[in-house]
Amino acid sequence: MNVSDPLYLLLIPLLFALTVLMAKKYRQRGKTVLAVRLFLFALLGVAFAQPFAQQLAARTTTIFAVDLSASMKGTENETTAFLNDALSYPTNQDHVGVVGFGKKAQVERGVADALQDVAFHVNVAKGFTNIADALHQSASLLPENEKKRIVLLSDGNENVDAALDTIQNMKSQGIRVDVLPIENKIGQEVQLSSINVPSHISKNMSYDIAIAIDSLVDTKTKLIVYKGNHIISNQEVTVRTGENKFVVEDTATEGGGIVYRAEIQPETDVLYENNSVYGYTYIEDTPRLLVLENQNSAYKIKDILENSLVNITVLNSKAAPTEPEQLNLYDAVILADVSIDDLPPTFPDVLEGYVKNSGGGVLVTGGEHAYALGDYFDTKLETILPVEMRMKENKKKPDLSMVIVLDRSGSMASGQYGVSKLELAKESSIRAADIMDDKDSFGVLAFDEASAWISPLQPVLGNKKNIADQIASISIGGGTSILPALKEAFSALSARDSKLKHIILLTDGQAEQTGYNAIVQSMNESGVTLSTIAVGTDADRALLSSLAEKGGGRYYYTDEFTDLPKIFARETVMAGDSYINNRTFYPTVSDATPIVAGIEQLPSLDGYIATTAKDRADVVLVSDKDDPIVATWQYGLGRTVAFTSDVDKWTTGFFASDEGVKMFRNMVSWALRKQMETDVNVSIVAGADKSDISVTLPYSETITGMHAVVSTGSKDYTVQFDAVAPNEYKAQIPDSTPGTYIVNLQIEKGAESSLVTRGVSVPYSKEYDIRQLANGRQLLQNLAESTGGIVLSAPDEVFKPIDANVRTKKEWTNVCLALALVLFLIDVAIRRFPSIIPKIQKACKRVAGRLIFWNHKKGIKYSKETVYNEKDIEITEEPVMIKEMDKKKLSGHEKESPDTSSLLVSKKRKRLGR
């Protein structure tokens, strides 16, 4: 018998002493009470010390760890047969469990007395062999107080973690590892082993792509080589057993990063996962610039950048690339007065990733379709730019009175998707009123053959709900007559004392062709502006465009009727804020940057779009009102430039000067993605769930940090590199999918930073590499030898007894506590009912008598002339036994010899029944 915490035994004498002192202090009488309490405290002290008995373990638990990875393909029947055959040999002293493993281990059968007909149903990832996890999971199933054994059935083709690093822990736990080496059955297998491409190539240079194919059989296969998404080679080749090498020639026709992919299609094959490999190269070329325009808005940019060693591609904004791979062919993108509505819906998201993660550059020029006028509010374009679309908060905003002149003729009842043009126009008008400021005024005038005020011109404050209800009541009418409605709207606005007065005319039909000049001239003289919206192909677009131009507003045409809410919102914002600044001024330099290097005096500009610089932005040029004209900043790995003037009518004089042209070229040069470092090497080592990235470069004391965005094709990871040596940095990403990873690396050198883009290829798992299949037997043998295990050869060897000195514990704490509880109840009963003491004493004597009588039958002798009658004996003291005994039979009873040493000391004896 042992105890876990022997210090608790010191409580026993302390409690004994305290009990005796308390009994004397309170004059408690009764030896029975004192004895009960002393036994109670003794039991508690022993229970707290956690007593236990030890004995040698008789049971053995055996866990079968079975390799289910891809390299075991073809051995499934052999492995299962061995397992089920071995399960017929365990004895009743054996417990058995089964674990299956690949990339991770999972329990197939929990520990049980017996198992039979095991078939594997666990779903393990087969792309890796993780023996270390298999041992760990198996060890977790082994009970502590039994003999322990793990039987490992595997080919030993380990490619995750290191089992030998954990085997010492197995040994310290008394776990024995037996192994059954399984020979691979992968026979007619062909794999693509590698593709080698030069890391850097000059443009127009021819080069070789080396491809290695390993095979276990003589066969034929198709060999296909892709350059990006285009096939550059498709041929049938013959491969022999062993290594085969092939060469494909290519020419660098375009600059930038190129991803190569090789595939094979063998006539005979077992594993398809090793049939493709990836390569990457970077082709040095002049910078490539993509210019997106709308309505020939970039016609001057080619002239400005002529002879600047930039390869320029001009596209209509609607044809902008929507795939990251397409956009990454360019080093910078220019948006020349382009509205966000003129771009593909997914382009802003692609552009943000291009700048943030790939280090691309963006330059946005102003105009009447850009910035706030291009509806950049709350879009990814506003996110990446160094300016906000809202004007400065401290800039006083004039009050606005606006009237919507709305066509409700019969043709407005048609529409798309079950929604009429009139319903969309009504909804748009309600939204326009909702976004106006409280100090503004708003009204709606509907017309067909005649005009009528639906919502009279009134302050927005406190009337938005009333205005919305009035607009909702508009119903379809008859013909179309615009001129009377315009006159009525102008009359109402001319009576208002507002800084800004504006009319929005919406119609989908034809109306009067003449008579507008006088009303438009009156509007111009009174400061009332007019914008027009032509809805559908039946609208008089020529008339409406002319009215907007003469009325000082903007003209919109749409045959997508769902665009109406967006058009109304944009027009409302533009009418209320003075975004367009049509005046001549001289910009001034606010921040000295490389963009203004070598420029002594800047020519004048004739206008710009008002914006607000963001906090981190570098404002290079400002207007006479301190609004940003040129602002720059770093966004992620890339750079963006905001030029709030245009490249058309506002910059005629600006670009006519050498300083203006040089300024624009400097902006483009600053934004271009650059490869400043040529001696930076990036490598990657892929594991099961993660990949380790290493960067080596010449040592420099000026390097203060390094981070990168790693693009795997499906996901981007931002990582910070840690220095592990003076010239080596490491980072890790939670991905190991085969393919080409683009590492966009930013190296920080004090206040300066440089961008390096490298492509690294992640191969398929070594689990599928046939060159690794024969390397596992030695590992299995080392695992067995390290724990005293054996290399199995037959199923009947599995359950042979283990010669191990394993002891089990039998806890006695609960038994002691239960007895203490019984004594506590007796103590309570004695104190509350003193009259039961004699009965307890009598019961104790009867129990003692029975024990004595029973012991005499066994040959134990007691002292003095005591008659031992099992029916009538009362003893007040416990017997004390001695070793020497003498027997004497007296008519069915045993009696001690008078001269025998005393075994029983009694202060009081009483005979009964004689």
Side-chain angles (χ1 to χ4, degrees), residues 322-353:
T322 56
E323 295 294 332
E325 294 80 5
Q326 298 171 339
L327 199 58
N328 273 318
L329 295 175
Y330 302 96
D331 298 298
V333 178
I334 296 179
L335 301 182
D337 191 17
V338 173
S339 166
I340 199 164
D341 297 331
D342 296 327
L343 295 165
T346 59
F347 178 76
D349 291 323
V350 174
L351 186 67
E352 194 228 5

PDB file of all heavy atoms in Angstrom, residues 322-353:
ATOM      1  N   THR A 322     -10.645  41.934 -66.931  1.00  0.00           N
ATOM      2  CA  THR A 322     -11.383  41.535 -65.731  1.00  0.00           C
ATOM      3  C   THR A 322     -10.752  40.346 -65.031  1.00  0.00           C
ATOM      4  O   THR A 322     -11.306  39.839 -64.052  1.00  0.00           O
ATOM      5  CB  THR A 322     -12.840  41.192 -66.088  1.00  0.00           C
ATOM      6  OG1 THR A 322     -12.851  40.178 -67.107  1.00  0.00           O
ATOM      7  CG2 THR A 322     -13.576  42.417 -66.580  1.00  0.00           C
ATOM      8  N   GLU A 323      -9.593  39.904 -65.519  1.00  0.00           N
ATOM      9  CA  GLU A 323      -8.865  38.813 -64.880  1.00  0.00           C
ATOM     10  C   GLU A 323      -7.523  39.343 -64.374  1.00  0.00           C
ATOM     11  O   GLU A 323      -6.848  40.102 -65.084  1.00  0.00           O
ATOM     12  CB  GLU A 323      -8.621  37.656 -65.847  1.00  0.00           C
ATOM     13  CG  GLU A 323      -9.888  36.957 -66.320  1.00  0.00           C
ATOM     14  CD  GLU A 323     -10.605  36.245 -65.187  1.00  0.00           C
ATOM     15  OE1 GLU A 323      -9.920  35.834 -64.219  1.00  0.00           O
ATOM     16  OE2 GLU A 323     -11.832  36.087 -65.278  1.00  0.00           O
ATOM     17  N   PRO A 324      -7.101  38.965 -63.160  1.00  0.00           N
ATOM     18  CA  PRO A 324      -5.822  39.450 -62.630  1.00  0.00           C
ATOM     19  C   PRO A 324      -4.641  39.140 -63.533  1.00  0.00           C
ATOM     20  O   PRO A 324      -3.721  39.956 -63.670  1.00  0.00           O
ATOM     21  CB  PRO A 324      -5.708  38.725 -61.278  1.00  0.00           C
ATOM     22  CG  PRO A 324      -7.113  38.397 -60.894  1.00  0.00           C
ATOM     23  CD  PRO A 324      -7.823  38.139 -62.179  1.00  0.00           C
ATOM     24  N   GLU A 325      -4.651  37.961 -64.162  1.00  0.00           N
ATOM     25  CA  GLU A 325      -3.529  37.591 -65.016  1.00  0.00           C
ATOM     26  C   GLU A 325      -3.389  38.551 -66.202  1.00  0.00           C
ATOM     27  O   GLU A 325      -2.278  38.894 -66.615  1.00  0.00           O
ATOM     28  CB  GLU A 325      -3.694  36.154 -65.531  1.00  0.00           C
ATOM     29  CG  GLU A 325      -3.631  35.080 -64.456  1.00  0.00           C
ATOM     30  CD  GLU A 325      -4.954  34.936 -63.711  1.00  0.00           C
ATOM     31  OE1 GLU A 325      -5.936  35.612 -64.101  1.00  0.00           O
ATOM     32  OE2 GLU A 325      -4.996  34.170 -62.733  1.00  0.00           O
ATOM     33  N   GLN A 326      -4.525  38.997 -66.757  1.00  0.00           N
ATOM     34  CA  GLN A 326      -4.497  39.920 -67.885  1.00  0.00           C
ATOM     35  C   GLN A 326      -3.992  41.292 -67.450  1.00  0.00           C
ATOM     36  O   GLN A 326      -3.185  41.923 -68.151  1.00  0.00           O
ATOM     37  CB  GLN A 326      -5.896  40.046 -68.494  1.00  0.00           C
ATOM     38  CG  GLN A 326      -6.442  38.748 -69.053  1.00  0.00           C
ATOM     39  CD  GLN A 326      -7.900  38.862 -69.458  1.00  0.00           C
ATOM     40  OE1 GLN A 326      -8.620  39.742 -68.987  1.00  0.00           O
ATOM     41  NE2 GLN A 326      -8.338  37.970 -70.325  1.00  0.00           N
ATOM     42  N   LEU A 327      -4.437  41.753 -66.301  1.00  0.00           N
ATOM     43  CA  LEU A 327      -4.032  43.073 -65.833  1.00  0.00           C
ATOM     44  C   LEU A 327      -2.566  43.087 -65.411  1.00  0.00           C
ATOM     45  O   LEU A 327      -1.878  44.104 -65.554  1.00  0.00           O
ATOM     46  CB  LEU A 327      -4.925  43.504 -64.671  1.00  0.00           C
ATOM     47  CG  LEU A 327      -4.959  45.009 -64.356  1.00  0.00           C
ATOM     48  CD1 LEU A 327      -5.401  45.812 -65.567  1.00  0.00           C
ATOM     49  CD2 LEU A 327      -5.886  45.287 -63.179  1.00  0.00           C
ATOM     50  N   ASN A 328      -2.069  41.974 -64.915  1.00  0.00           N
ATOM     51  CA  ASN A 328      -0.676  41.913 -64.446  1.00  0.00           C
ATOM     52  C   ASN A 328       0.340  41.958 -65.578  1.00  0.00           C
ATOM     53  O   ASN A 328       1.541  42.053 -65.324  1.00  0.00           O
ATOM     54  CB  ASN A 328      -0.453  40.652 -63.610  1.00  0.00           C
ATOM     55  CG  ASN A 328      -0.794  40.878 -62.149  1.00  0.00           C
ATOM     56  OD1 ASN A 328      -0.464  41.919 -61.582  1.00  0.00           O
ATOM     57  ND2 ASN A 328      -1.464  39.917 -61.547  1.00  0.00           N
ATOM     58  N   LEU A 329      -0.128  41.902 -66.820  1.00  0.00           N
ATOM     59  CA  LEU A 329       0.785  42.071 -67.944  1.00  0.00           C
ATOM     60  C   LEU A 329       1.270  43.509 -68.055  1.00  0.00           C
ATOM     61  O   LEU A 329       2.255  43.789 -68.734  1.00  0.00           O
ATOM     62  CB  LEU A 329       0.104  41.663 -69.255  1.00  0.00           C
ATOM     63  CG  LEU A 329      -0.278  40.182 -69.395  1.00  0.00           C
ATOM     64  CD1 LEU A 329      -1.044  39.956 -70.687  1.00  0.00           C
ATOM     65  CD2 LEU A 329       0.964  39.304 -69.354  1.00  0.00           C
ATOM     66  N   TYR A 330       0.594  44.427 -67.374  1.00  0.00           N
ATOM     67  CA  TYR A 330       0.925  45.847 -67.464  1.00  0.00           C
ATOM     68  C   TYR A 330       1.554  46.321 -66.158  1.00  0.00           C
ATOM     69  O   TYR A 330       1.251  45.827 -65.078  1.00  0.00           O
ATOM     70  CB  TYR A 330      -0.335  46.668 -67.768  1.00  0.00           C
ATOM     71  CG  TYR A 330      -1.025  46.239 -69.040  1.00  0.00           C
ATOM     72  CD1 TYR A 330      -2.105  45.349 -69.000  1.00  0.00           C
ATOM     73  CD2 TYR A 330      -0.599  46.701 -70.272  1.00  0.00           C
ATOM     74  CE1 TYR A 330      -2.744  44.941 -70.160  1.00  0.00           C
ATOM     75  CE2 TYR A 330      -1.224  46.294 -71.447  1.00  0.00           C
ATOM     76  CZ  TYR A 330      -2.295  45.419 -71.383  1.00  0.00           C
ATOM     77  OH  TYR A 330      -2.911  45.006 -72.538  1.00  0.00           O
ATOM     78  N   ASP A 331       2.425  47.328 -66.293  1.00  0.00           N
ATOM     79  CA  ASP A 331       3.122  47.880 -65.125  1.00  0.00           C
ATOM     80  C   ASP A 331       2.381  49.071 -64.524  1.00  0.00           C
ATOM     81  O   ASP A 331       2.707  49.492 -63.410  1.00  0.00           O
ATOM     82  CB  ASP A 331       4.546  48.288 -65.512  1.00  0.00           C
ATOM     83  CG  ASP A 331       5.368  47.083 -65.969  1.00  0.00           C
ATOM     84  OD1 ASP A 331       5.567  46.172 -65.139  1.00  0.00           O
ATOM     85  OD2 ASP A 331       5.778  47.046 -67.131  1.00  0.00           O
ATOM     86  N   ALA A 332       1.439  49.640 -65.251  1.00  0.00           N
ATOM     87  CA  ALA A 332       0.616  50.731 -64.725  1.00  0.00           C
ATOM     88  C   ALA A 332      -0.631  50.862 -65.582  1.00  0.00           C
ATOM     89  O   ALA A 332      -0.660  50.426 -66.749  1.00  0.00           O
ATOM     90  CB  ALA A 332       1.389  52.047 -64.684  1.00  0.00           C
ATOM     91  N   VAL A 333      -1.676  51.484 -65.015  1.00  0.00           N
ATOM     92  CA  VAL A 333      -2.951  51.697 -65.701  1.00  0.00           C
ATOM     93  C   VAL A 333      -3.324  53.166 -65.561  1.00  0.00           C
ATOM     94  O   VAL A 333      -3.229  53.742 -64.466  1.00  0.00           O
ATOM     95  CB  VAL A 333      -4.072  50.817 -65.109  1.00  0.00           C
ATOM     96  CG1 VAL A 333      -5.395  51.089 -65.811  1.00  0.00           C
ATOM     97  CG2 VAL A 333      -3.707  49.340 -65.228  1.00  0.00           C
ATOM     98  N   ILE A 334      -3.747  53.792 -66.670  1.00  0.00           N
ATOM     99  CA  ILE A 334      -4.241  55.168 -66.646  1.00  0.00           C
ATOM    100  C   ILE A 334      -5.734  55.154 -66.961  1.00  0.00           C
ATOM    101  O   ILE A 334      -6.157  54.560 -67.971  1.00  0.00           O
ATOM    102  CB  ILE A 334      -3.500  56.060 -67.665  1.00  0.00           C
ATOM    103  CG1 ILE A 334      -2.023  56.183 -67.290  1.00  0.00           C
ATOM    104  CG2 ILE A 334      -4.138  57.449 -67.730  1.00  0.00           C
ATOM    105  CD1 ILE A 334      -1.223  57.037 -68.267  1.00  0.00           C
ATOM    106  N   LEU A 335      -6.543  55.778 -66.100  1.00  0.00           N
ATOM    107  CA  LEU A 335      -7.963  55.988 -66.368  1.00  0.00           C
ATOM    108  C   LEU A 335      -8.118  57.438 -66.815  1.00  0.00           C
ATOM    109  O   LEU A 335      -7.953  58.363 -66.019  1.00  0.00           O
ATOM    110  CB  LEU A 335      -8.805  55.716 -65.129  1.00  0.00           C
ATOM    111  CG  LEU A 335      -8.706  54.313 -64.515  1.00  0.00           C
ATOM    112  CD1 LEU A 335      -9.638  54.192 -63.315  1.00  0.00           C
ATOM    113  CD2 LEU A 335      -9.043  53.260 -65.540  1.00  0.00           C
ATOM    114  N   ALA A 336      -8.440  57.639 -68.097  1.00  0.00           N
ATOM    115  CA  ALA A 336      -8.505  58.982 -68.670  1.00  0.00           C
ATOM    116  C   ALA A 336      -9.952  59.460 -68.692  1.00  0.00           C
ATOM    117  O   ALA A 336     -10.702  59.149 -69.626  1.00  0.00           O
ATOM    118  CB  ALA A 336      -7.904  58.989 -70.074  1.00  0.00           C
ATOM    119  N   ASP A 337     -10.348  60.194 -67.649  1.00  0.00           N
ATOM    120  CA  ASP A 337     -11.694  60.759 -67.556  1.00  0.00           C
ATOM    121  C   ASP A 337     -12.754  59.685 -67.791  1.00  0.00           C
ATOM    122  O   ASP A 337     -13.614  59.798 -68.667  1.00  0.00           O
ATOM    123  CB  ASP A 337     -11.860  61.900 -68.566  1.00  0.00           C
ATOM    124  CG  ASP A 337     -13.144  62.698 -68.343  1.00  0.00           C
ATOM    125  OD1 ASP A 337     -13.731  62.589 -67.241  1.00  0.00           O
ATOM    126  OD2 ASP A 337     -13.571  63.411 -69.272  1.00  0.00           O
ATOM    127  N   VAL A 338     -12.689  58.609 -66.990  1.00  0.00           N
ATOM    128  CA  VAL A 338     -13.576  57.460 -67.148  1.00  0.00           C
ATOM    129  C   VAL A 338     -14.512  57.365 -65.946  1.00  0.00           C
ATOM    130  O   VAL A 338     -14.066  57.405 -64.801  1.00  0.00           O
ATOM    131  CB  VAL A 338     -12.755  56.156 -67.291  1.00  0.00           C
ATOM    132  CG1 VAL A 338     -13.666  54.950 -67.283  1.00  0.00           C
ATOM    133  CG2 VAL A 338     -11.933  56.185 -68.566  1.00  0.00           C
ATOM    134  N   SER A 339     -15.794  57.243 -66.227  1.00  0.00           N
ATOM    135  CA  SER A 339     -16.784  57.017 -65.169  1.00  0.00           C
ATOM    136  C   SER A 339     -16.760  55.554 -64.768  1.00  0.00           C
ATOM    137  O   SER A 339     -16.432  54.665 -65.571  1.00  0.00           O
ATOM    138  CB  SER A 339     -18.177  57.397 -65.674  1.00  0.00           C
ATOM    139  OG  SER A 339     -19.177  56.905 -64.807  1.00  0.00           O
ATOM    140  N   ILE A 340     -17.129  55.292 -63.522  1.00  0.00           N
ATOM    141  CA  ILE A 340     -17.153  53.899 -63.071  1.00  0.00           C
ATOM    142  C   ILE A 340     -18.234  53.107 -63.797  1.00  0.00           C
ATOM    143  O   ILE A 340     -18.143  51.886 -63.933  1.00  0.00           O
ATOM    144  CB  ILE A 340     -17.347  53.837 -61.541  1.00  0.00           C
ATOM    145  CG1 ILE A 340     -16.913  52.460 -61.030  1.00  0.00           C
ATOM    146  CG2 ILE A 340     -18.783  54.146 -61.150  1.00  0.00           C
ATOM    147  CD1 ILE A 340     -16.684  52.393 -59.557  1.00  0.00           C
ATOM    148  N   ASP A 341     -19.251  53.809 -64.302  1.00  0.00           N
ATOM    149  CA  ASP A 341     -20.295  53.120 -65.062  1.00  0.00           C
ATOM    150  C   ASP A 341     -19.797  52.655 -66.415  1.00  0.00           C
ATOM    151  O   ASP A 341     -20.422  51.802 -67.054  1.00  0.00           O
ATOM    152  CB  ASP A 341     -21.497  54.049 -65.256  1.00  0.00           C
ATOM    153  CG  ASP A 341     -22.141  54.436 -63.943  1.00  0.00           C
ATOM    154  OD1 ASP A 341     -22.063  53.622 -63.004  1.00  0.00           O
ATOM    155  OD2 ASP A 341     -22.708  55.536 -63.853  1.00  0.00           O
ATOM    156  N   ASP A 342     -18.668  53.222 -66.889  1.00  0.00           N
ATOM    157  CA  ASP A 342     -18.119  52.837 -68.181  1.00  0.00           C
ATOM    158  C   ASP A 342     -17.136  51.681 -68.069  1.00  0.00           C
ATOM    159  O   ASP A 342     -16.545  51.274 -69.073  1.00  0.00           O
ATOM    160  CB  ASP A 342     -17.407  54.037 -68.821  1.00  0.00           C
ATOM    161  CG  ASP A 342     -18.372  55.179 -69.125  1.00  0.00           C
ATOM    162  OD1 ASP A 342     -19.539  54.885 -69.450  1.00  0.00           O
ATOM    163  OD2 ASP A 342     -17.963  56.351 -69.001  1.00  0.00           O
ATOM    164  N   LEU A 343     -16.942  51.150 -66.862  1.00  0.00           N
ATOM    165  CA  LEU A 343     -16.009  50.044 -66.633  1.00  0.00           C
ATOM    166  C   LEU A 343     -16.786  48.768 -66.371  1.00  0.00           C
ATOM    167  O   LEU A 343     -17.918  48.808 -65.864  1.00  0.00           O
ATOM    168  CB  LEU A 343     -15.109  50.353 -65.435  1.00  0.00           C
ATOM    169  CG  LEU A 343     -14.150  51.539 -65.600  1.00  0.00           C
ATOM    170  CD1 LEU A 343     -13.595  51.962 -64.246  1.00  0.00           C
ATOM    171  CD2 LEU A 343     -13.014  51.181 -66.555  1.00  0.00           C
ATOM    172  N   PRO A 344     -16.210  47.601 -66.665  1.00  0.00           N
ATOM    173  CA  PRO A 344     -16.873  46.340 -66.293  1.00  0.00           C
ATOM    174  C   PRO A 344     -17.110  46.285 -64.785  1.00  0.00           C
ATOM    175  O   PRO A 344     -16.296  46.799 -64.005  1.00  0.00           O
ATOM    176  CB  PRO A 344     -15.874  45.266 -66.739  1.00  0.00           C
ATOM    177  CG  PRO A 344     -15.050  45.924 -67.801  1.00  0.00           C
ATOM    178  CD  PRO A 344     -14.951  47.374 -67.403  1.00  0.00           C
ATOM    179  N   PRO A 345     -18.190  45.694 -64.333  1.00  0.00           N
ATOM    180  CA  PRO A 345     -18.535  45.706 -62.898  1.00  0.00           C
ATOM    181  C   PRO A 345     -17.449  45.132 -62.002  1.00  0.00           C
ATOM    182  O   PRO A 345     -17.265  45.595 -60.876  1.00  0.00           O
ATOM    183  CB  PRO A 345     -19.816  44.861 -62.842  1.00  0.00           C
ATOM    184  CG  PRO A 345     -20.384  44.928 -64.217  1.00  0.00           C
ATOM    185  CD  PRO A 345     -19.226  45.031 -65.149  1.00  0.00           C
ATOM    186  N   THR A 346     -16.703  44.126 -62.473  1.00  0.00           N
ATOM    187  CA  THR A 346     -15.691  43.482 -61.628  1.00  0.00           C
ATOM    188  C   THR A 346     -14.330  44.168 -61.697  1.00  0.00           C
ATOM    189  O   THR A 346     -13.427  43.817 -60.938  1.00  0.00           O
ATOM    190  CB  THR A 346     -15.529  42.005 -62.024  1.00  0.00           C
ATOM    191  OG1 THR A 346     -15.136  41.934 -63.406  1.00  0.00           O
ATOM    192  CG2 THR A 346     -16.834  41.243 -61.831  1.00  0.00           C
ATOM    193  N   PHE A 347     -14.183  45.138 -62.621  1.00  0.00           N
ATOM    194  CA  PHE A 347     -12.868  45.738 -62.818  1.00  0.00           C
ATOM    195  C   PHE A 347     -12.330  46.459 -61.574  1.00  0.00           C
ATOM    196  O   PHE A 347     -11.140  46.318 -61.258  1.00  0.00           O
ATOM    197  CB  PHE A 347     -12.901  46.694 -64.006  1.00  0.00           C
ATOM    198  CG  PHE A 347     -11.595  47.404 -64.244  1.00  0.00           C
ATOM    199  CD1 PHE A 347     -10.531  46.737 -64.829  1.00  0.00           C
ATOM    200  CD2 PHE A 347     -11.416  48.724 -63.858  1.00  0.00           C
ATOM    201  CE1 PHE A 347      -9.321  47.372 -65.049  1.00  0.00           C
ATOM    202  CE2 PHE A 347     -10.215  49.370 -64.072  1.00  0.00           C
ATOM    203  CZ  PHE A 347      -9.162  48.694 -64.665  1.00  0.00           C
ATOM    204  N   PRO A 348     -13.135  47.267 -60.847  1.00  0.00           N
ATOM    205  CA  PRO A 348     -12.576  47.942 -59.667  1.00  0.00           C
ATOM    206  C   PRO A 348     -11.986  46.983 -58.639  1.00  0.00           C
ATOM    207  O   PRO A 348     -10.941  47.277 -58.045  1.00  0.00           O
ATOM    208  CB  PRO A 348     -13.785  48.707 -59.096  1.00  0.00           C
ATOM    209  CG  PRO A 348     -14.659  48.954 -60.276  1.00  0.00           C
ATOM    210  CD  PRO A 348     -14.519  47.725 -61.123  1.00  0.00           C
ATOM    211  N   ASP A 349     -12.605  45.820 -58.432  1.00  0.00           N
ATOM    212  CA  ASP A 349     -12.055  44.843 -57.485  1.00  0.00           C
ATOM    213  C   ASP A 349     -10.738  44.265 -58.002  1.00  0.00           C
ATOM    214  O   ASP A 349      -9.780  44.098 -57.237  1.00  0.00           O
ATOM    215  CB  ASP A 349     -13.056  43.706 -57.250  1.00  0.00           C
ATOM    216  CG  ASP A 349     -14.282  44.165 -56.496  1.00  0.00           C
ATOM    217  OD1 ASP A 349     -14.132  45.004 -55.594  1.00  0.00           O
ATOM    218  OD2 ASP A 349     -15.389  43.706 -56.816  1.00  0.00           O
ATOM    219  N   VAL A 350     -10.691  43.960 -59.304  1.00  0.00           N
ATOM    220  CA  VAL A 350      -9.459  43.432 -59.889  1.00  0.00           C
ATOM    221  C   VAL A 350      -8.358  44.485 -59.819  1.00  0.00           C
ATOM    222  O   VAL A 350      -7.197  44.173 -59.523  1.00  0.00           O
ATOM    223  CB  VAL A 350      -9.712  42.989 -61.343  1.00  0.00           C
ATOM    224  CG1 VAL A 350      -8.412  42.566 -62.018  1.00  0.00           C
ATOM    225  CG2 VAL A 350     -10.716  41.849 -61.385  1.00  0.00           C
ATOM    226  N   LEU A 351      -8.718  45.751 -60.060  1.00  0.00           N
ATOM    227  CA  LEU A 351      -7.728  46.829 -60.033  1.00  0.00           C
ATOM    228  C   LEU A 351      -7.170  47.011 -58.627  1.00  0.00           C
ATOM    229  O   LEU A 351      -5.956  47.244 -58.457  1.00  0.00           O
ATOM    230  CB  LEU A 351      -8.371  48.128 -60.525  1.00  0.00           C
ATOM    231  CG  LEU A 351      -7.427  49.322 -60.695  1.00  0.00           C
ATOM    232  CD1 LEU A 351      -6.444  49.042 -61.833  1.00  0.00           C
ATOM    233  CD2 LEU A 351      -8.212  50.600 -60.966  1.00  0.00           C
ATOM    234  N   GLU A 352      -8.023  46.872 -57.617  1.00  0.00           N
ATOM    235  CA  GLU A 352      -7.530  47.028 -56.241  1.00  0.00           C
ATOM    236  C   GLU A 352      -6.520  45.940 -55.898  1.00  0.00           C
ATOM    237  O   GLU A 352      -5.474  46.206 -55.305  1.00  0.00           O
ATOM    238  CB  GLU A 352      -8.697  46.986 -55.251  1.00  0.00           C
ATOM    239  CG  GLU A 352      -8.305  47.471 -53.882  1.00  0.00           C
ATOM    240  CD  GLU A 352      -8.751  46.552 -52.758  1.00  0.00           C
ATOM    241  OE1 GLU A 352      -9.294  45.477 -53.048  1.00  0.00           O
ATOM    242  OE2 GLU A 352      -8.519  46.897 -51.590  1.00  0.00           O
ATOM    243  N   GLY A 353      -6.800  44.687 -56.271  1.00  0.00           N
ATOM    244  CA  GLY A 353      -5.848  43.606 -56.036  1.00  0.00           C
ATOM    245  C   GLY A 353      -4.573  43.792 -56.831  1.00  0.00           C
ATOM    246  O   GLY A 353      -3.476  43.467 -56.353  1.00  0.00           O
TER     247      GLY A 353
END
